[in-house]
């Protein structure tokens, strides 16, 4: 029997991922992304007249990251649900899953495909934002050289790292949406539930902070449990001092990245488990 | 592998769907037992909603059985291994519309692990074989229903499976297209493939199937070879030139004198689909073979299409 067995194949997983990515490309999702990214960065240009020196640079960076987080989250939820349900609703999943493939290859293939799409969006937005900052910083340097005696003050490497961390956070979000999609029947339900999950992941630290003083042990344990089940998206917001001042602690960034990868693995595994016996 | 292992064996299969939130069950397949031997063309017939597609999806591991056991070449159908030698054309197929026909077949070929060295030749072969070479670079989104069925057949055959499962391959396809589909199925049979095909169009099935089973409300009504089921072994038909009434009387008397009975005198008619096919210009592109099998002229009742019509596009 062992001669017959079909081993798990990263090759097939990559095939499904690249087909998912291709779908996003050919369905013109990227035209929209490019427009969005350009629009965002262009709107940051409106603030060029502020001309308040280095704080203007910080403003641009904050604005850029705010937009990245907002639009990136919306994109992650809708694109994950859409690229998953297009297989189910168009019944292309029938043909694909009737091939000798593992359901895990399908789920993680979908994940990797969506994750790459989001990666392109993050790269576009961060890239454009860094180009804009570089350009503006150059202008400011020329205008008042005294303020820039020690050279450029923006830390572009840090911007890049925070961008990567945001991408990983979107990966966690995408895994959560896939988990929901794996048992949900409709695209709409998945998107709505996904947004709820996003809000919980962003706000769960509030609950933990305010409930940690509660006397009731039961309540405290429930909150503790919830904060364990839902990843804390606030951890990824390392942008307060972004690109300026003391700079990013690489150890911290590494820990946050591991945190994200851990959640992606566990939640992805749950999605596979739930999708394993789904009736197509 | 042992040759006595059937291609498909279904034992006591029952499938319930939960159709309401309160857990009311709908029994789509009811205690079905069937066996499809290697090399057969097996027709699964029945009205809409009789459980044909559900049975097929269980065979392919897309649905789980509620009760019972389904094996494909001896491997339980819920295991990935069981799908290794199976090609599947779903009912009313729909494919990634953003891929070209060629890219689509290539994608499935790679998923099925067709070796890199053979990939190109293999994909070209099957696309050619189903007569879609002319349209292979068009987006699947622009394909007509008949073309979707053909590209669906191509993706089902691309890894040279031993068992091919076709769910309503001729539904919604014009008579020319479905006659060509029947020819393709007969070619597969000659290559020694096992074919399981469902349909509610009985005339078409009749031309290609060795055995049939009829389902109704998920239950097996009858199963057997076509000859057993509809062959009238105690009757024979003689086809002659038109006879005057007097000669018919003489013939009847002659037969009676020898202890035979003249049962019926009928005007034989060509079937309407055959008339249709003879009047319509056929632009099929049934090309070479994807497998190692022979390229024999089909001996079916369906007229052979002109295999040499390279300039015309497939029917839209
Ligand atoms: N996913 C499903 N959920 C609930 N009922 C289903 C599902 N799929 C099929 N059915 C029901 O099972 C019965 C058999 O359907 P099907 O196998 O598609 O029939 P056929 O292919 O013979 O037309 C039908 O009554 C159909 O409504
Ligand atoms: Mg059906």
């Amino acid at each position: 029997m062992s001669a017959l067995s079909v081993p798990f194949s990263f090759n097939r997983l990559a095939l499904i991922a690249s087909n998912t990515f291709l779908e996003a490309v050919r369905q013109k999702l990227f035209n929209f992304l490019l427009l969005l990214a350009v629009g965002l960065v262009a709107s940051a240009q409106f603030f060029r007249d502020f001309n308040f020196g280095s704080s203007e640079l910080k403003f641009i960076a904050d604005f850029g990251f705010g937009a990245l987080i907002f639009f990136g989250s919306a994109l992650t939820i809708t694109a994950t649900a859409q690229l998953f349900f297009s297989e189910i609703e168009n019944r292309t999943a029938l043909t694909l899953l009737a091939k000798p493939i593992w359901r895990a290859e399908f789920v993680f293939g979908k994940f990797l495909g969506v994750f790459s799409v989001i990666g392109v969006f993050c790269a576009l937005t961060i890239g454009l934002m860094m180009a804009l900052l570089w350009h503006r910083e150059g202008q400011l340097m020329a205008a008042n050289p005294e303020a820039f005696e020690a050279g450029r003050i923006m830390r572009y490497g840090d911007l890049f790292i925070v961008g990567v961390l945001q991408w990983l956070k979107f990966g966690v979000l995408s895994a959560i949406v896939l988990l929901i999609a794996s048992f949900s029947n409709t695209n709409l339900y998945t998107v709505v539930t996904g947004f709820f999950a996003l809000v919980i992941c962003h706000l769960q630290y509030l609950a933990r902070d305010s409930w940690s003083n509660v006397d009731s042990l039961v309540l405290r344990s429930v909150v503790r449990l919830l904060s364990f089940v839902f990843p804390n998206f606030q951890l990824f917001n390392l942008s307060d001092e972004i690109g300026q001042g003391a700079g990013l602690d690489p150890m911290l960034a590494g820990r946050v990245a591991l945190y994200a990868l851990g959640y992606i693995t566990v939640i992805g595994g749950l999605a596979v488990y739930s999708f394993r016996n789904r009736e197509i | 592998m042992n040759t006595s292992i059937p291609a498909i064996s279904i034992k006591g299969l029952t499938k319930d769907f939960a159709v309401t939130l309160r857990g009311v069950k709908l029994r789509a397949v009811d205690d079905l037992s069937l066996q499809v031997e290697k090399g057969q063309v097996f027709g699964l017939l029945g009205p809409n909603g009789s459980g044909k597609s559900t049975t097929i999806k269980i065979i392919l591991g897309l649905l789980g059985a509620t009760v019972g056991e389904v094996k494909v070449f001896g491997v339980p159908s819920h295991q990935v291994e069981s799908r290794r030698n199976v090609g599947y054309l779903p009912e009313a197929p729909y494919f990634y519309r953003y891929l070209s026909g060629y890219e689509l077949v290539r994608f499935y070929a790679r998923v099925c692990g067709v070796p890199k060295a053979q990939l190109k030749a293999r994909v070209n072969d099957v696309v050619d074989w189903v007569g879609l070479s002319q349209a292979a670079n068009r987006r699947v989104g622009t394909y007509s229903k008949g073309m979707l069925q053909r590209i669906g057949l191509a993706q089902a055959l691309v890894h040279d499976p031993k068992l091919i499962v076709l769910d309503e391959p001729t539904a919604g396809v014009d008579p020319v297209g479905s006659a060509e589909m029947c020819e393709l199925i007969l070619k597969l049979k000659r290559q020694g493939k096992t074919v399981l095909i469902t349909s509610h169009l009985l005339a078409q099935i009749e031309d290609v199937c060795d055995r049939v089973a009829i389902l109704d409300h998920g239950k097996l009504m009858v199963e057997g070879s076509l000859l057993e089921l509809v062959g009238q072994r105690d009757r024979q038909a003689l086809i002659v030139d038109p006879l005057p009434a007097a000669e018919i009387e003489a013939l009847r008397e002659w037969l009676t004198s020898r202890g035979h009975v003249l049962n019926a005198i009928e005007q034989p008619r060509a079937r309407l689909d055959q008339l249709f096919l003879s009047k319509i210009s056929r632009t099929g592109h049934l090309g070479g073979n994807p497998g190692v099998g022979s390229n024999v002229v089909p001996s079916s009742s369906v007229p052979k299409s002109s295999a040499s019509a390279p300039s015309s596009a497939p029917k839209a």
Side-chain angles (χ1 to χ4, degrees), chain B residues 83-132:
Chain B
R83 296 194 282 282
R84 206 174 229 217
N85 282 307
V86 184
Y88 169 50
L89 170 64
E91 189 174 13
Y94 192 95
F95 300 106
Y96 306 109
R97 45 184 303 121
Y98 50 90
L99 296 182
S100 74
Y102 182 86
E103 288 171 328
L104 183 85
V105 176
R106 193 181 133 89
F107 169 72
Y108 285 120
R110 293 177 72 194
V111 166
C112 291
V114 174
K116 266 242 156 65
Q118 301 167 18
L119 196 61
K120 195 165 179 184
R122 190 73 210 150
V123 173
N124 280 328
D125 272 358
V126 280
V127 169
D128 198 39
W129 199 71
V130 299
L132 275 183

Side-chain angles (χ1 to χ4, degrees), chain B residues 53 91 167-168:
Chain B
S53 299
E91 189 174 13
D167 198 354
E168 310 254 1

Side-chain angles (χ1 to χ4, degrees), chain B residues 221-248:
Chain B
M221 294 305 179
V222 62
E223 196 257 322
S225 79
L226 226 55
L227 201 63
E228 280 163 33
L229 296 179
V230 291
Q232 295 185 326
R233 260 169 290 191
D234 53 348
R235 291 280 186 278
Q236 245 178 335
L238 307 173
I239 312 279
V240 294
D241 297 337
L243 295 177
E247 287 194 21
I248 292 178

Side-chain angles (χ1 to χ4, degrees), chain A residues 90-219:
Chain A
N90 294 332
R91 288 174 289 119
T92 49
L94 274 181
T95 324
L96 186 53
L97 293 173
K99 303 285 182 202
I101 74 169
W102 292 90
R103 297 252 171 139
E105 291 164 3
F106 179 81
V107 171
F108 276 107
K110 283 283 140 193
F111 171 79
L112 271 190
V114 177
F115 195 48
S116 328
V117 172
I118 305 163
V120 171
F121 172 75
C122 291
L124 267 176
T125 315
I126 300 280
L128 280 167
M129 185 181 82
M130 293 212 284
L132 181 69
L133 277 171
W134 183 272
H135 170 72
R136 190 70 189 134
E137 193 173 32
Q139 285 181 334
L140 291 173
M141 281 167 88
N144 52 341
E146 319 84 66
F148 291 88
E149 267 168 349
R152 292 185 178 266
I153 52 171
M154 291 304 290
R155 294 165 171 272
Y156 291 91
D158 285 2
L159 290 183
F160 178 78
I161 291 172
V162 175
V164 171
L165 290 180
Q166 288 300 330
W167 179 41
L168 287 172
K169 183 189 83 175
F170 294 142
V172 177
L173 181 60
S174 176
I176 293 175
V177 176
L178 266 184
L179 173 58
I180 299 166
S182 69
F183 56 79
S184 133
N185 283 323
T186 68
N187 196 337
L188 185 66
Y189 175 86
T190 307
V191 169
V192 171
T193 316
F195 271 105
F196 271 113
L198 172 68
V199 171
I200 294 175
C201 292
H202 266 296
L203 297 183
Q204 62 123 303
Y205 77 101
L206 289 179
R208 197 166 39 180
D209 288 355
S210 57
W211 288 93
S212 54
N213 309 327
V214 170
D215 293 332
S216 155
L217 182 69
V218 178
L219 217 51

